[in-house]
Amino acid sequence: MGALHYLFLFLTLSALSTTTLAHNITDILSGLPDYSEFNKYLTQTKLADEINSRETITVLALNNAAMSALAGKHPLSVIKNALSLLVVLDYYDPTKLHQISNGSTLSTTLYQTTGNAPGNLGFVNITDLQGGKVGFGSAAPGSKLDASYTKSVKQIPYNISVLEISAPIIAPGILTAPAPTPSDVNITALLEKAGCKTFASLLQSSGVIKTYQAAADKGLTIFAPNDEAFKAKGVPDLSKLTNAEIVSLLQYHAAAGYSPFGSLKTQKDPITTLASNGAGKFDLTVTAAGDSVTLHTGVDSSRVADTVLDSTPLMIFTVDNVLLPAELFGKSPSPAPALEPVSAPSPSPATTPSPAPASVEAPSPLAASPPAPPSETPQGAPSDAPVGSENSTADNAAIPVTAPALFTVSATVICSILMS
Ligand SMILES: *[C@@H]1O[C@H](CO)[C@@H](O)[C@H](O)[C@H]1NC(C)=O
Ligand SMILES: *[C@@H]1O[C@H](CO)[C@@H](O)[C@H](O)[C@H]1NC(C)=O
Ligand SMILES: *[C@@H]1O[C@H](CO)[C@@H](O)[C@H](O)[C@H]1NC(C)=O
Ligand SMILES: *[C@@H]1O[C@H](CO)[C@@H](O)[C@H](O)[C@H]1NC(C)=O
Ligand SMILES: *[C@@H]1O[C@H](CO)[C@@H](O)[C@H](O)[C@H]1NC(C)=O
Ligand SMILES: *[C@@H]1O[C@H](CO)[C@@H](O)[C@H](O)[C@H]1NC(C)=O
């Protein structure tokens, strides 16, 4: 039955979105001064969030002496890549290290999931050597095993194991890869390449791109709707919005601060966007289910789809839907996230390096056509009427309010279930 299906979805979403974290790497290392530098960088690069949001992992920790090979010598984005290579997506305690079949194995690391690792550079080679020694090195052919296991730090079977190794694992090119400063990154060009031409063109024509570029150095996370999203049913006619509304809408698609995928997954508080001008205004709430993260506006919601750029402190994601802030498009902003069956948890991880999971369709020729520039809005047209007036039905509202329809349908479904 349809209703039961929705109820099940609703309950599943509720259950999953309140999942508590199994471990806290910052806490595990906090009592151990030998790892204070390593711990500090896990926090700065937000790798701690990524580690805490996963199970069955092994963290290869560097003590302060070993960490001095990296700390302060490279840009944060490079250090992040190097440390991602020390987070193995499998559980190895000291016993298992010595029971590797055939004495040698290649194991996936977090670096492999970032999309920054070409070929098999995101894998590490773990080899049980003569005399009980265990060596670690890059999986790239010809690499030496230049780190070795020194001691166990902590195990919570089979959730997380922390093992100390003697030195960083250096994959070829990982320290010399270009690390562009965020102010030099051409956000427009990246967005166009990622299938977000409409969004990029709106940023340019409205001038909001300057706000984005200016914020990038201090930390910025962008949620860019793909071109399909702008053509979806329920998206308001942008040519009917005022310039100020367009600016707010675009500012709503970015948040100050660097929030990579793992941080979104562990995010509990609402996200303040660049459009926020007061408590609770223009916020986004976040729910996570498995490897899927969904943003909720109170009017609609969207899955976080792909990573376009992860270069500390600038993060760019694509999203499947245009995020419609309740302050512009909702009659009464709802504090509870809207249930939207369309964005049900998807098994595809958003951090996969491959171009596109199911959500992003091949761009149609129409996708390339730029939207009507906001300046075309006629002066004194109905669209200049104040937004958020108490009485805004679809007929007299400043903006055609078609978007809340789905929310209303979902809410009605839930209500009718609860009442039956
Ligand atoms: C491991 O993680 C699971 C799932 O988060 C949790 O239920 C379990 O209690 C954890 N095990 C330990 C020993 O903490
Ligand atoms: C993890 O532990 C640190 C230090 O004890 C604490 O400040 C932080 O809030 C914890 N994080 C979570 C998500 O509980
Ligand atoms: C171990 O090595 C043998 C011979 O090279 C191979 O056939 C086998 O698949 C290996 N086992 C594993 C688990 O890698
Ligand atoms: C790991 O590295 C060693 C030394 O370079 C090499 O002999 C071994 O074949 C590698 N293991 C795997 C599984 O590739
Ligand atoms: C950024 O890229 C866009 C589109 O590719 C181009 O039009 C623009 O001139 C570039 N901006 C800078 C500052 O290079
Ligand atoms: C809102 O508009 C509707 C239809 O135009 C009207 O019937 C109603 O009285 C209005 N309510 C208020 C509070 O102005």
Side-chain angles (χ1 to χ4, degrees), residues 6-21 55 265 268 286-290 292 296 337 339 345:
Y6 281 118
L7 180 59
F8 173 73
L9 245 182
F10 177 67
L11 293 177
T12 309
L13 279 172
S14 316
L16 289 171
S17 59
T18 55
T19 304
T20 48
L21 303 172
E55 284 166 38
K265 267 164 89 182
K268 290 193 188 81
V286 190
T287 56
S292 179
H296 307 269
L339 169 68

Side-chain angles (χ1 to χ4, degrees), residues 312-351:
T312 327
L314 177 59
M315 188 73 224
I316 307 179
F317 293 108
T318 58
V319 292
D320 293 337
N321 301 325
V322 178
L323 300 167
L324 302 173
E327 287 77 5
L328 290 182
F329 302 104
K331 284 184 204 168
S332 51
S334 159
L339 169 68
E340 196 186 0
V342 178
S343 60
S346 142
S348 51
T351 44

Side-chain angles (χ1 to χ4, degrees), residues 94-103 128:
T95 314
K96 192 175 162 191
L97 276 187
H98 294 289
Q99 291 170 349
I100 293 166
S101 53
N102 287 356
D128 194 4

Side-chain angles (χ1 to χ4, degrees), residues 237-257:
D237 184 350
L238 296 176
S239 67
K240 295 220 167 71
L241 299 186
T242 64
N243 284 342
E245 286 159 3
I246 293 267
V247 166
S248 292
L249 179 66
L250 296 173
Q251 288 175 341
Y252 189 61
H253 284 80

Side-chain angles (χ1 to χ4, degrees), residues 297-386:
T297 71
V299 171
D300 70 342
S301 47
S302 178
R303 190 179 70 109
V304 175
D306 293 311
T307 295
V308 177
L309 179 78
D310 179 351
S311 184
T312 327
L314 177 59
M315 188 73 224
I316 307 179
F317 293 108
T318 58
V319 292
D320 293 337
N321 301 325
V322 178
L323 300 167
L324 302 173
E327 287 77 5
L328 290 182
F329 302 104
K331 284 184 204 168
S332 51
S334 159
L339 169 68
E340 196 186 0
V342 178
S343 60
S346 142
S348 51
T351 44
T352 43
S354 58
S359 59
V360 183
E361 288 153 33
S364 81
L366 282 174
S369 62
S375 54
E376 275 177 15
T377 308
Q379 282 296 315
S383 59
D384 282 335

